């Protein structure tokens, strides 16, 4: 059983690779290979160029395969992002995102649409309650004022309040402290 150990050197334009041949621990010979760099380059250059071409081809193939895949994954996310932007700009909660693309992204778009449905329902409910409360406020026979908390300025008054206080529309933004007999600057 013989083994060889590598050693390489470059001298005077020559490349030499020497390998001792061993039998156990005893050197029984030497294998030497010598070549001029130009000859070595001529033999290796086509192989290196083939390797480089294979790497470039593999990279191009990777881009060719992953490009459509990436667009297929990113496009649904872009649609969700764009819809969110349009909703923020317009305030229109009726806008929807198409439920397309890979299963997970289609489900995400569906969840986004359901969230918009819930927000629209909550907004409609809030408007209805506000309309109802406004109607109660305006038609009540009881005098009602809406005051600014800190300054006690009147922000709104129903018809019964303006008739009771005899102020009409001039009651709005009025400082209530003098009307109540409170000194200037009085605060609750």
């Amino acid at each position: 059983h013989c083994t060889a150990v590598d050693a390489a050197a470059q001298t005077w334009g020559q490349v030499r690779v020497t390998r001792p041949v061993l039998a156990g621990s005893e050197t029984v010979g030497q294998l030497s290979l010598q070549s001029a760099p130009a000859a070595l380059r001529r033999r290796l250059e086509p192989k290196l160029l083939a390797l480089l071409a294979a790497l470039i081809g593999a990279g191009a193939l990777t881009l060719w395969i992953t490009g459509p895949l990436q667009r297929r994954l990113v496009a649904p996310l872009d649609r969700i992002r764009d819809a969110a932007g349009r909703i923020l700009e317009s305030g229109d909660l009726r806008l929807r995102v198409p439920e397309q693309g890979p299963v997970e992204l289609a489900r995400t778009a569906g969840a986004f649409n359901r969230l918009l449905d819930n927000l629209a329902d909550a907004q409609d409910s809030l408007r209805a309650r506000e309309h109802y409360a406004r109607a109660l406020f305006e038609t009540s026979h009881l005098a009602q004022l809406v005051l600014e908390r800190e300054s006690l300025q009147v922000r709104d008054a129903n018809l019964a309040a303006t008739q009771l206080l005899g102020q009409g529309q001039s009651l709005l933004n009025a400082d209530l402290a003098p009307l109540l007999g409170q000194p200037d600057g009085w605060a609750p």
Side-chain angles (χ1 to χ4, degrees):
H1 174 71
C2 295
T3 59
V5 179
D6 287 334
Q10 183 174 357
T11 57
W12 301 102
Q14 296 288 317
V15 174
R16 176 185 289 177
V17 177
T18 305
R19 299 180 85 190
V21 178
L22 304 172
S25 62
E26 180 182 345
T27 302
V28 293
Q30 181 173 332
L31 180 63
S32 183
L33 180 64
Q34 184 173 336
S35 177
L40 186 60
R41 189 177 305 121
R42 275 193 311 274
R43 292 187 76 195
L44 290 178
E45 226 170 50
K47 291 176 175 119
L48 290 174
L49 288 175
L51 178 62
L52 181 61
L55 289 173
I56 290 172
L61 181 63
T62 300
L63 290 175
W64 182 71
I65 290 172
T66 61
L69 180 62
Q70 180 183 8
R71 282 188 296 279
R72 185 168 183 254
L73 293 174
V74 170
L77 291 174
D78 286 343
R79 286 192 294 268
I80 293 171
R81 184 199 63 225
D82 293 344
R86 287 191 309 273
I87 291 164
L88 284 173
E89 289 173 9
S90 70
D92 185 1
L93 295 176
R94 294 170 301 183
L95 294 174
R96 292 295 175 267
V97 177
E99 296 179 28
Q100 301 170 337
V103 174
E104 295 82 8
L105 294 175
R107 286 180 184 164
T108 301
F112 184 79
N113 289 336
R114 285 189 303 282
L115 174 69
L116 291 174
D117 290 337
N118 289 343
L119 286 173
D121 291 347
Q123 190 177 53
D124 290 344
S125 177
L126 182 62
R127 283 187 185 132
R129 288 177 185 168
E130 183 180 354
H131 180 72
Y132 179 71
R134 170 61 58 187
L136 288 176
F137 174 76
E138 289 174 353
T139 60
S140 175
H141 64 282
L142 299 173
Q144 297 178 35
L145 299 174
V146 177
L147 304 176
E148 191 71 39
R149 180 178 174 96
E150 298 297 322
S151 66
L152 293 181
Q153 283 189 326
V154 178
R155 290 294 169 220
D156 204 356
N158 68 356
L159 181 61
T162 56
Q163 289 173 346
L164 177 68
L165 296 174
Q167 296 286 321
Q169 284 297 95
S170 65
L171 186 60
L172 296 181
N173 294 320
D175 184 1
L176 193 59
L179 287 175
L180 298 175
Q182 302 294 331
D184 286 338
W186 176 82

